Amino acid sequence: MKLPWAIARKHYYIAVFCLISLAFVTFSFVLYKQYNKVQTHNDFSLYQSQVIDQSRLIVIDLVDMETSVRGFMVTGDEAFLDPYFTAYARLQSWIVNLRNTTYPEVAAREEVNSWLKVIDNYQKLLADQITDVRTRGAGSPSSAALNAQKAQMDELRQMLDQSIARRGVTLRLQSKAAQSQKNNFLTVIVLGNVLMIGILLVGTVTIINLEVANQRFEDAHRRSEERFKTVLNGINDGVFEYNFINDSMYMSPEYKSMLGYDEADIKDDFKATIDLIHPDDKDAALATLKAFREGPSALYTNVFRMHHKDGTWRWIMSRAVAQRGDDGRMRSMVGAHTDITDQKNREEELRQLHADMETFTYITSHDLRSPLVNLKGFSRELDMAIAEVSDTLTPYKDSIKPEDWSKIDLNLHRDIPEALTFIGKGVERMDTLTTAILDLSRIGRYVHRYERVDSRAIIDKCIGAQSFEIQNKGAEVIVHDLPELVTDALALEQVFSNLLDNAVKYLTVERKGRIEIGSQQTARDFVFYIRDNGRGIDAADSGKIFEIFRRARNTSDVRGLGIGMSFVKTTLRKMDGAIWFESAVGVGTTFFVRLPRRNGVNDVPDEANTVLASAAQALPVRKAQQA
């Protein structure tokens, strides 16, 4: 770009530049002096306004306190004291602010100190009146009490109103002086504009140079952008860039081809992209995008269905990163779309397989119980038959050879009863195991009912159910502050009941039992812990604790089937939670339970309320056998 001819006369411009610089410095100095004068007036006016406003806030709070106490004296209703306590809490901060504001002004500082004495007496009077009503009851307040209250309030109001009035007069006078100074300032600005014309000439040259440099920068940026798009187009995922400033959008060819469209089929337009989203997913997708734009997160993830050219719907995972300007505002987002339809289909197949497995487990366990009933019944019939045979043969004992009678007696009274006893115990064991398997299978069919639950109340209920065992072992149970959370109350009770039962059962006699229950909070979860000083779990057994029918090696003296912890883990998984533990043999064990933090029932994912289609869908959840 060719520069103006005048720029070639460098000596002339150097002289002009020196003159303009001198004029600019002089003008700046004069402007600065005028600005200081105006600023001084403004600061004083602002100071007076602040003092007046702060004084009025004190008056308002005092009036609120008086009105609140008077209503309480008449009715005795504690609700009337809410404004009193609110105003009382603010009053001290207003007074401190006023003292800090007026501290450089000696007279004002002394005036505020005098207010404090009267306000303090007035607060004591109101406090005494509140105490008197709480002690003697409400009723028509005495005229002496009302007069005392009114007299002190009138004194306070008069002191504050006089101060506000004085400062109001000062503020008006100062405003007139400030206006005059502003006029002078305007005159200086007008005269200075003549000097600014010369500065603009210098600025014009600077702008020309900047335009040349800017053109070079734009050319380099354009080449860089072309390289960037070339790289993006080589990625298999569909890449996009959405510019929030000018509402423009770039979509790579792969972005469109994964939906079956050609380059020209879809405009590079945000609205065109939104129109491809499934109607059932559109509102949620836009809400997630809005939250990303307005929130602090730099990462964006969204999942929704988009229309394919062949008429089907494809599941898309959209991920992006934010690009922000120097002011912190989001300028654009750059990301990629990934087709996860196959993954979604596999997830659905897995869910169906899980449902089929639960149904199979239920049917298998249920059918196993039928032969057990027969075994139990026929064992009882055999026992009765043996008794009848014994009674029938006894009268003929003398006619039977002694060695034959010995064999008959051995079979009838020892071998056969002993065999029937083993059969009975095996049947009972098998019945217990099938019942436990049924309990586990029903977890998948249970519909969680999410509500706001007080976890402390749940823990207290579990402790009450275990109170006999706790007292019998002389154990101490310590419960710290526990939160409210949105979850299923029955499922939470079953989890805590199993964990507390284990903690009590595995206490040792070597030391006094101690069980501690508490919780911690993270940004996303509540983490509960149940800590005991029992026998502990060997590291070699850590892998089997949550497996069905598996128990630690140091638990053989305690009755159990190894079902409880498997039940707990399965239940927590259905609640989007988790469980783990830390333990040392001879020291104790701490179980941790993680549950998600939810603001309300609407935060619960739909999967948590899905009922698996099965014949036993309506069966109630039974409490699992204890571990």
Side-chain angles (χ1 to χ4, degrees), residues 433-534:
L433 292 177
T434 55
T435 300
I437 293 174
L438 282 173
D439 288 334
L440 285 176
S441 69
R442 287 167 180 155
I443 297 177
R445 300 176 178 88
Y446 176 64
V447 181
H448 288 95
R449 294 172 175 84
Y450 285 85
E451 58 185 338
R452 186 161 293 280
V453 177
D454 183 358
S455 60
R456 176 58 188 263
I458 298 293
I459 287 292
D460 290 342
K461 187 176 180 180
C462 296
I463 293 174
Q466 298 283 341
S467 59
F468 177 78
E469 289 81 1
I470 293 173
Q471 294 176 4
N472 190 39
K473 292 202 172 185
E476 177 187 15
V477 180
I478 300 173
V479 183
H480 299 288
D481 291 338
L482 297 175
E484 287 189 352
L485 69 161
V486 176
T487 188
D488 184 282
L490 178 60
L492 187 64
E493 180 183 348
Q494 291 172 338
V495 168
F496 285 153
S497 178
N498 277 280
L499 293 175
L500 182 61
D501 180 69
N502 280 352
V504 174
K505 284 197 304 186
Y506 296 120
L507 293 174
T508 63
V509 296
E510 287 80 10
R511 54 183 175 271
K512 180 180 179 181
R514 175 186 172 91
I515 300 173
E516 185 178 356
I517 304 172
S519 69
Q520 299 172 346
Q521 296 185 23
T522 67
R524 293 185 174 183
D525 306 302
F526 292 108
V527 179
F528 297 88
Y529 62 86
I530 298 181
R531 180 179 295 116
D532 65 68
N533 63 341

Side-chain angles (χ1 to χ4, degrees), residues 605-619:
D606 293 338
E607 289 79 5
N609 293 320
T610 299
V611 181
L612 297 176
S614 64
Q617 175 178 343
L619 291 175

Side-chain angles (χ1 to χ4, degrees), residues 65-77:
M65 292 169 65
E66 177 192 22
T67 305
S68 176
V69 172
R70 184 169 298 181
F72 177 68
M73 292 171 65
V74 174
T75 63
D77 187 356

Side-chain angles (χ1 to χ4, degrees), residues 112 119 149 232 236 364 380 412 519:
V112 172
I119 291 174
Q149 189 183 78
L232 293 184
N236 291 330
T364 303
R380 192 178 299 111
L412 290 179
S519 69

Side-chain angles (χ1 to χ4, degrees), residues 506 536-538 541-542 544-545 550-556:
Y506 296 120
I537 301 172
D538 192 283
D541 296 326
S542 60
K544 65 176 70 170
I545 296 302
R550 300 288 299 277
R551 305 182 69 198
R553 66 190 69 188
N554 62 345
T555 60
S556 59

Side-chain angles (χ1 to χ4, degrees), residues 226-373:
E226 290 174 354
R227 289 194 298 269
F228 173 70
K229 289 184 178 181
T230 300
V231 172
L232 293 184
N233 292 338
I235 301 177
N236 291 330
D237 288 346
V239 180
F240 68 92
E241 179 182 12
Y242 180 30
N243 191 313
F244 297 112
I245 303 301
N246 56 20
D247 201 33
S248 63
M249 188 167 185
Y250 164 76
M251 293 178 280
S252 69
E254 287 73 18
Y255 182 103
K256 301 175 183 180
S257 64
M258 75 164 51
L259 297 174
Y261 296 100
D262 295 328
E263 179 73 18
D265 290 342
I266 306 176
K267 296 189 299 182
D268 285 350
D269 180 70
F270 179 70
K271 184 179 182 303
T273 302
I274 297 301
D275 290 341
L276 293 174
I277 298 178
H278 195 286
D280 294 342
D281 301 341
K282 186 176 296 185
D283 291 341
L286 290 175
T288 302
L289 177 61
K290 181 180 179 183
F292 171 66
R293 286 191 62 180
E294 298 176 353
S297 176
L299 299 177
Y300 165 82
T301 301
N302 206 347
V303 177
F304 42 79
R305 288 167 289 179
M306 296 189 75
H307 186 267
H308 195 276
K309 191 174 182 179
D310 61 8
T312 61
W313 295 96
R314 309 292 292 180
W315 281 100
I316 301 298
M317 175 180 285
S318 178
R319 292 169 292 184
V321 294
Q323 294 183 332
R324 303 180 183 274
D326 295 336
D327 57 357
R329 295 180 57 190
M330 191 179 299
R331 304 181 63 86
S332 65
M333 59 186 292
V334 178
H337 276 191
T338 304
D339 188 338
I340 60 171
T341 304
D342 292 340
Q343 176 184 335
K344 282 287 186 178
N345 291 336
R346 287 194 295 271
E347 290 176 357
E348 182 59 32
E349 292 173 359
L350 183 60
R351 279 194 292 268
Q352 185 60 45
L353 178 61
H354 181 66
D356 293 342
M357 286 296 295
E358 288 182 339
T359 302
F360 172 77
T361 302
Y362 171 77
I363 294 174
T364 303
S365 301
H366 185 272
D367 291 346
L368 284 175
R369 296 173 65 88
S370 297
L372 293 180
V373 173

